[in-house]
């Protein structure tokens, strides 16, 4: 088969130069390799770089890595505290727990009553109230044969403390019984109307 194209021109680059595998790497810019970007980065980057080549390259790198980095907090924004609210409903009250709590509270109230009575009696005795009122009552109820009613002996401190202690014990029994009965009544009414609804709020 005969080649009819004639003599072909020889290119100097291929005739005198080395082969592609034997070529030395070109001495270009010594820097990191930046792949081609799908979208154009803003001029100057996120930091508003200048028109120089170094500023443009640094701004482009910042523009590419900006969305993937950590977002800086907004210093000028005002944060308002949130209030979480929960709406709860007391569906049932345990009568046993109500009885225990009411029993302890009534005992504490009885002790406070006895101590308050003793302090009040001592204060009134120091002020001379019993002596003055007792003298007046003795003169009003007295006669030639008797001296009348003696208020000071009747309202002595031991007698007042005993009377107050009896009232405190009765108060403990009644308060415990009424509180337990109230728990039963509340459970019955909560079965019909659903109970008492409460709205609880928590401030952050």
């Amino acid at each position: 088969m005969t080649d009819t194209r004639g003599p072909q021109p020889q290119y100097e680059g291929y005739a005198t130069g080395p082969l592609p595998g034997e070529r030395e790497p070109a001495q270009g810019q010594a820097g990191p390799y930046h792949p081609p970007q799908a979208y154009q980065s803003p001029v100057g980057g996120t930091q508003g770089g200048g028109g120089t080549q170094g500023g443009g390259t640094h701004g482009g790198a910042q523009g590419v890595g900006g969305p993937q980095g950590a977002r800086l907090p907004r210093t000028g924004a005002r944060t308002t505290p949130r209030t979480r609210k929960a709406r709860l409903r007391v569906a049932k009250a345990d009568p046993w727990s109500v009885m225990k709590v009411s029993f302890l509270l009534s005992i504490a109230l009885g002790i406070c009553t006895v101590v308050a009575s003793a302090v009040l009696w001592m204060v009134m005795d120091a002020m001379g109230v019993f002596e003055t009122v007792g003298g007046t009552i003795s003169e009003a109820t007295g006669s030639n044969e008797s001296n009348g009613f003696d208020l000071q002996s009747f309202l002595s401190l031991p007698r007042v403390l005993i009377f107050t202690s009896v009232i405190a014990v009765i108060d403990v029994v009644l308060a415990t019984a009424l509180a337990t009965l109230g728990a039963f009544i509340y459970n019955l009414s909560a079965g019909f109307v659903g109970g008492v609804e409460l709205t609880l709020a928590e401030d952050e």
Side-chain angles (χ1 to χ4, degrees):
M1 185 174 182
T2 306
D3 187 5
T4 58
R5 293 179 298 176
Q8 300 293 330
Q10 299 292 333
Y11 296 98
E12 297 180 356
Y14 290 98
T16 59
L19 296 176
E22 298 177 354
R23 295 176 183 176
E24 296 181 358
Q27 300 295 331
Q29 295 181 355
Y33 172 72
H34 298 287
Q37 301 178 7
Y39 301 96
Q40 296 182 0
S41 60
V43 179
T46 57
Q47 296 182 357
T52 60
Q53 182 178 0
T57 305
H58 182 68
Q62 292 291 337
V64 174
Q68 300 179 358
R71 297 179 60 183
L72 298 177
R74 298 176 60 186
T75 57
R78 296 182 179 179
T79 58
T80 57
R82 296 184 304 170
T83 302
R84 295 188 299 178
K85 295 183 179 181
R87 191 172 183 179
L88 304 178
R89 180 168 53 90
V90 182
K92 182 180 179 180
D94 189 12
W96 176 249
S97 62
V98 172
M99 185 182 68
K100 292 187 294 184
V101 173
S102 61
F103 179 72
L104 293 178
L105 291 178
S106 59
I107 286 179
L109 182 61
I111 293 174
C112 293
T113 303
V114 173
V115 173
S117 301
V119 172
L120 181 62
W121 188 92
M122 288 187 290
V123 170
M124 294 177 67
D125 185 61
M127 294 174 61
V129 175
F130 296 115
E131 183 178 0
T132 305
V133 177
T136 304
I137 293 177
S138 297
E139 292 178 0
T141 58
S143 60
N144 296 329
E145 298 178 356
S146 61
N147 296 327
F149 181 75
D150 191 2
L151 182 64
Q152 292 183 354
S153 61
F154 180 77
L155 294 180
S156 60
L157 181 60
R159 186 172 292 180
V160 170
L161 292 180
I162 292 174
F163 182 73
T164 308
S165 300
V166 171
I167 293 178
V169 171
I170 296 174
D171 180 51
V172 169
V173 176
L174 290 179
T176 305
L178 290 177
T180 308
L181 182 61
F184 281 107
I185 295 175
Y186 177 80
N187 292 335
L188 291 177
S189 62
F192 293 101
V193 298
V196 178
E197 293 185 358
L198 302 176
T199 301
L200 306 179
E202 179 183 0
D203 295 336
E204 293 185 355

